[in-house]
């Protein structure tokens, strides 16, 4: 999208976002990452104890005693981080486009 009077940094921002979107397919990955969150959360829900006194001990149990528990918890954590990163990229681009559209009018 090209707007009249577009600042040079914005075209650079669009190129960076398009580069990320081309490689990461940002819009599709929201759904995939959400499904990963649901699956790994469902796998961990059977072993975690959500109380103040037992939460840390149950996380230690998942990481050390449960078969592949370290992997399930790590995938859960990393997919949550990637979802947040993709949402930030998406929101930042949307806000930038709305601001530039308002400036063009």
């Amino acid at each position: 999208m090209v707007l009249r009077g577009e600042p040079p940094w914005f075209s650079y921002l669009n190129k960076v976002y398009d580069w990320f979107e081309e490689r990461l397919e940002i819009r599709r990955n929201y759904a995939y990452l959400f499904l990963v969150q649901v699956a790994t959360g469902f796998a961990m829900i059977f072993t975690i104890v959500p109380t103040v006194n037992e939460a840390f001990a149950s996380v230690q149990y998942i990481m050390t005693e449960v078969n592949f528990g370290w992997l399930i918890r790590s995938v859960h954590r990393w997919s949550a981080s990637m979802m947040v990163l993709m949402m930030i990229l998406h929101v930042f681009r949307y806000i930038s486009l709305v601001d530039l559209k308002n400036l063009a009018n």
Side-chain angles (χ1 to χ4, degrees):
M1 171 182 231
V2 178
L3 297 173
R4 293 184 123 199
E6 179 179 287
W9 61 267
F10 187 73
S11 62
Y12 178 73
L13 177 68
N14 267 338
K15 288 177 186 175
V16 169
Y17 185 85
D18 290 340
W19 184 85
F20 273 108
E21 188 171 3
E22 179 181 310
R23 281 153 184 80
L24 299 176
E25 297 178 355
I26 290 174
R27 291 184 182 113
R28 280 188 224 141
N29 283 337
Y30 290 139
Y32 295 143
L33 289 173
F34 180 74
L35 291 176
V36 167
Q37 285 289 298
V38 169
T40 55
F42 187 74
M44 289 191 303
I45 201 165
F46 295 111
T47 56
I48 198 160
V49 180
T51 64
V52 174
N53 296 329
E54 298 294 322
F56 183 74
S58 65
V59 170
Q60 278 187 321
Y61 176 74
I62 290 171
M63 293 294 286
T64 58
E65 302 295 326
V66 175
N67 290 336
F68 299 106
W70 60 272
L71 180 65
I72 292 170
R73 182 171 179 261
S74 296
V75 167
H76 189 76
R77 183 181 67 120
W78 279 103
S79 64
S81 297
M82 289 303 295
M83 274 184 86
V84 169
L85 177 67
M86 288 184 186
M87 290 295 264
I88 288 170
L89 285 172
H90 178 75
V91 167
F92 185 69
R93 183 173 188 211
Y94 178 77
I95 289 172
S96 299
L97 284 175
V98 168
D99 286 344
L100 284 177
K101 283 180 184 178
N102 289 338
L103 284 176
N105 290 336

